[in-house]
Amino acid sequence: MAGGAGVILGLALAVAMALAVVALLLRRRVRALEAQAAHAEAAAATHRGAEAAERARAEFYREILDTLPIPIWRRAQDLTLLFVNRAYAFAAGADSPAEALIAGKEIGADDAASLARRARNTGEALSESRATIVGEDRVLIEATERPLPTGGLVGDGRDVTALIAAQDEQARLIEAHAEVLERVGSAVAVFTSARHTAFFNAAFTELFDFESEVLIDMTLTEMLEDLRARRMLPEVVDFQAFKSARMADFQHLLDVREQYLYLPDGRTLKESIAPHPQGGLIYIYDDVSDRLALERSYKMLDRVQRQTLDALQEGIAVFGEDGRLRLSNPAFDAVFLAEGETGREPHVSHVADAARTVLTQKSWRDGRDDLVESVTNRKSTVIPVDTRDGRLLEIATAPLADGGVLLAVYDITDRLAIEQGLRAQAEALRAVDRLKSEFLAGISYELRTPLTSILGFADMLRAGAAGPISPRQADYLDDILSAANAFIAMVDDIIDVAAIEAGRTSLERASTPAAEAIGVAASAAAARIAPLPLNIAPSAESGLIFDADPDRLRQILTRLITVAGQYARDAATVTVTAKSDGDWAVVTVTVGDSALPLGLSAGLEPARTAGASIDLNLATRLAQAHGGDLTVERAGPGMLLARCRLPRGRPTL
């Protein structure tokens, strides 16, 4: 029993040990299972966290995409929509992205699927613009489909309506600017940043003698070389450096640069180079040759005028609209700036005050305010003043077209002296005229009285009142009567001429036919020169009429023909012709050979009678009284050539 008990005890111990081992193993297994369960729980938690993070990330991206104002979408490989944002749903006309996905709404309908298909097949991003209705507005959307490396496509759509409108507006603006630049007178050329011509106007082609076809897309280098070959650029020592500097302007020019180009043909161009807002440069050229020549001419004229003013003895000054002195010459300064410098562009009041030391106190006091008023109020006036050295000045003001006033100072001392002398001379002439009138009145009485007595007694003797007379005595008495009558007629003519010159007798003009007047004068001259032989050959232009006093005209022609008869040799012919010459009637009286050279230079050769010079003098005075003249071109023994011009009358209808 003891052995059995030991066995049993051993078995019990073994069983206990086994149970202990089993329990240990079970505890280890439990711990392993617990660790595994904890690991699994941790992995699950990590997975749940990753899923939550992914969901949060997806939600974050979705919120971002929904916030964006442009439509964005995702397509599967079969082009079905997998995702759209709110902007897409609004553009497609859906209330929500889910509605747009369920309904499969596309922006642009069939065009959208066609673009996505082409992008998927080519594997490249493609874009196109399509018009659609968004809300109530018609907009232009530029849709882009981009293939993804993992399959499918992502797309976006941008509203380019405003951009296209802005581009159209810009195009219209550029076109308007081009039209304006085409019309301006300046030569304009625009070069792109690549140095090619982008624009040029007609003035540019005309200025540099280009053909429009040649300038299209021409580079600046080509243009410079062409202009140099035609000598339309300034002569430079190093042309390559000149050209390189022009090329460098495209990178370094920031502000407008202006310079003058002096061409070999004598022209001067003003060149303005400025950066173009869209890149490149704009060149502007103006031909300023005429303007520079005008400026040179103006400056030369200004210097000449300045020297002319300085050389004048009269004082000249110009005041501006504000009454300040703008210009003056030394003669003016000597009077009004005698006290020295009165400041730059002094006022007229200061100028007038400065003349106080030159003018007399009375002249300065009386004329100072008038001078200031005439300049400030732009009035024309003349102010006489006296100087302290005894001169008399005249200050004249006249308004100018530019708002200024011209002031001139004249020294009229000598002029007044001359005027006084002329007045004295005129008074003396009036006294002489009175004496002449008195003389004429006296000579008329003193000469006529004895002549009347002589004629009376001679006529009584000729009539036999004192007894019979012999034939020889009768001839003597006839000569006495003829000479006395001729002398009375000459005295009457002298008195008439003097009366006309003195203004006491007026001419009574009338239309007188030339042929009739010459015929009457020829008969009277023949009677006056008798018993000397006188052959007269009158000739008058048909229809010619004198506008003269008939009696004075008869006296002129009679005395002229009488003088010609006195110069004529025996049996010589006196030729009298009358012709029209514009508003004048010219009477020519010729004796002898009129082709002989002119020999009369001063005075007349002695005539056969002493009355020739008296007759010519009276005829000349009467012709001048009519506004005409009488000239003797040749006179001498046996020949005479005289011309008398008298006003021509118009025939009455």
Side-chain angles (χ1 to χ4, degrees):
M1 285 192 63
V7 172
I8 293 173
L9 183 59
L11 290 173
L13 290 171
V15 170
M17 290 178 65
L19 289 175
V21 171
V22 170
L24 179 62
L25 293 173
L26 287 175
R27 284 195 298 273
R28 288 180 177 178
R29 180 63 179 169
V30 169
R31 287 196 294 270
L33 290 174
E34 289 177 351
Q36 186 177 2
H39 178 72
E41 182 63 26
T46 300
H47 180 69
R48 287 193 302 272
E51 287 182 347
E54 185 64 27
R55 286 194 299 272
R57 183 170 176 268
E59 184 65 25
F60 175 73
Y61 285 142
R62 183 165 48 252
E63 289 178 355
I64 292 177
L65 294 176
D66 284 340
T67 305
L68 293 176
I70 63 174
I72 297 177
W73 61 91
R74 169 76 185 276
R75 295 181 185 275
Q77 189 65 22
D78 61 355
L79 306 183
T80 59
L81 291 171
L82 299 178
F83 169 81
V84 297
N85 66 349
R86 292 185 182 277
Y88 182 97
F90 179 74
D95 294 335
S96 65
E99 180 184 345
L101 288 174
I102 294 172
K105 291 188 175 183
E106 296 278 0
I107 300 176
D110 296 339
D111 294 339
S114 175
L115 177 64
R117 188 176 300 108
R118 294 198 307 273
R120 182 192 62 184
N121 295 337
T122 59
E124 298 178 352
L126 298 179
S127 300
E128 70 178 10
S129 298
R130 60 180 74 120
T132 186
I133 302 298
V134 177
E136 297 181 355
D137 300 326
R138 179 181 177 85
V139 297
L140 185 66
I141 293 180
E142 182 179 321
T144 303
E145 298 281 356
R146 298 178 178 86
L148 296 173
T150 58
L153 302 95
V154 65
D156 65 82
R158 293 180 299 137
D159 186 352
V160 295
T161 306
L163 177 62
I164 296 301
Q167 290 176 346
D168 293 342
E169 181 64 24
Q170 184 182 21
R172 288 192 294 270
L173 184 61
I174 292 175
E175 184 178 355
H177 285 174
E179 185 176 354
V180 172
L181 292 177
E182 186 67 33
R183 296 177 181 273
V184 299
S186 301
V188 180
V190 179
F191 287 84
T192 64
S193 56
R195 283 74 162 173
H196 289 264
T197 55
F199 171 81
F200 54 87
N201 61 358
F204 186 86
T205 60
E206 182 178 355
L207 179 64
F208 292 105
D209 195 19
F210 275 117
E211 295 291 338
S212 299
E213 297 77 8
V214 176
L215 281 176
I216 297 176
D217 202 34
M218 174 183 277
T219 65
L220 181 59
T221 301
E222 294 172 346
M223 180 180 294
L224 293 176
E225 291 176 350
D226 182 84
L227 292 175
R228 184 197 182 199
R230 293 189 286 118
R231 301 195 69 209
M232 301 190 75
L233 284 178
E235 299 289 351
V236 294
V237 177
D238 191 347
F239 180 69
Q240 293 301 324
F242 173 81
K243 188 165 56 175
S244 299
R246 290 305 177 101
M247 296 298 112
D249 288 339
F250 285 86
Q251 286 81 28
H252 304 296
L253 187 63
L254 300 178
D255 297 321
V256 178
R257 187 182 72 212
E258 294 182 351
Q259 59 185 350
Y260 289 92
L261 304 180
Y262 301 96
L263 304 187
D265 60 3
R267 291 184 299 168
T268 301
L269 304 182
K270 180 183 179 182
E271 180 187 58
S272 301
I273 309 175
H276 197 275
Q278 296 181 345
L281 296 174
I282 179 170
Y283 288 79
I284 303 175
Y285 295 93
D286 291 290
D287 189 344
V288 296
S289 305
D290 294 339
R291 191 188 73 187
L292 294 179
L294 183 61
E295 288 180 358
R296 288 193 295 270
S297 176
Y298 173 78
K299 291 179 180 178
M300 179 61 70
L301 179 61
D302 183 67
R303 287 196 296 269
V304 171
Q305 290 178 342
R306 178 73 263 181
Q307 294 174 355
T308 303
L309 289 177
D310 291 345
L312 291 176
Q313 295 181 354
E314 294 80 7
I316 301 295
V318 177
F319 290 86
E321 294 180 273
D322 55 358
R324 294 190 173 276
L325 183 64
R326 296 287 189 269
L327 175 69
S328 64
N329 65 349
F332 178 87
D333 297 344
V335 176
F336 288 95
L337 302 180
E339 292 184 350
E341 183 65 33
T342 59
R344 184 179 181 184
E345 295 186 352
H347 193 264
V348 61
S349 58
H350 298 157
V351 174
D353 291 340
R356 186 170 188 173
T357 59
V358 177
L359 305 181
T360 61
Q361 186 65 22
K362 183 178 183 305
S363 292
W364 182 84
R365 186 177 57 252
D366 296 341
R368 191 264 184 197
D369 293 339
D370 293 339
L371 175 61
V372 174
E373 181 185 2
S374 63
V375 173
T376 55
N377 295 335
R378 303 186 70 247
K379 296 193 307 182
S380 297
T381 185
V382 177
I383 305 171
V385 294
D386 297 317
T387 64
R388 295 178 182 272
D389 58 4
R391 291 177 299 154
L392 181 61
L393 304 181
E394 191 174 75
I395 302 174
T397 58
L400 300 177
D402 62 352
V405 176
L406 175 66
L407 189 148
V409 182
Y410 303 98
D411 187 342
I412 60 174
T413 306
D414 295 338
R415 190 183 74 184
L416 287 179
I418 294 174
E419 288 180 357
Q420 293 173 357
L422 291 176
R423 290 192 186 96
Q425 185 177 3
E427 184 61 31
L429 291 176
R430 284 193 291 270
V432 170
D433 186 65
R434 287 193 299 271
L435 291 176
K436 183 177 70 173
S437 300
E438 295 173 359
F439 171 75
L440 291 176
I443 198 173
S444 174
Y445 174 77
E446 296 295 336
L447 290 178
R448 284 178 180 273
T449 300
L451 284 175
T452 302
S453 299
I454 293 173
L455 284 172
F457 285 116
D459 189 52
M460 290 174 60
L461 291 174
R462 182 68 176 81
I469 58 175
S470 65
R472 192 170 185 178
Q473 291 173 336
D475 291 340
Y476 291 158
L477 290 173
D478 289 338
D479 291 341
I480 292 172
L481 291 173
S482 176
N485 286 323
F487 189 66
I488 289 177
M490 182 178 295
V491 170
D492 291 339
D493 290 342
I494 291 174
I495 295 174
D496 289 344
V497 171
I500 292 173
E501 290 181 348
R504 294 187 177 89
T505 303
S506 61
L507 298 174
E508 297 181 2
R509 296 176 181 267
S511 297
T512 305
E516 176 182 341
I518 292 175
V520 172
S523 299
R528 287 189 59 184
I529 205 170
L532 295 176
L534 182 62
N535 299 322
I536 303 175
S539 175
E541 181 180 306
S542 177
L544 180 62
I545 295 175
F546 290 108
D547 180 21
D549 187 314
D551 293 336
R552 308 307 179 190
L553 176 62
R554 175 187 56 78
Q555 293 177 13
I556 294 171
L557 297 178
T558 299
R559 294 189 180 282
L560 190 57
I561 297 174
T562 300
V563 171
Q566 293 170 353
Y567 274 83
R569 299 294 187 184
D570 295 339
T573 301
V574 176
T575 304
V576 183
T577 60
K579 295 182 179 180
S580 60
D581 184 11
D583 294 334
W584 299 97
V586 180
V587 179
T588 304
V589 178
T590 308
V591 177
D593 189 358
S594 61
L596 293 175
L598 299 180
L600 181 65
S601 58
L604 300 174
E605 295 291 336
R608 290 188 181 182
T609 64
S613 59
I614 298 178
D615 287 332
L616 281 177
N617 191 12
L618 292 175
T620 301
R621 295 294 183 87
L622 290 173
Q624 291 174 348
H626 284 82
D629 56 46
L630 190 154
T631 58
V632 177
E633 300 181 5
R634 182 185 296 109
M639 63 178 184
L640 177 73
L641 174 59
R643 286 188 176 88
C644 179
R645 286 196 316 162
L646 294 170
R648 177 188 174 192
R650 302 297 179 184
T652 57
L653 299 178

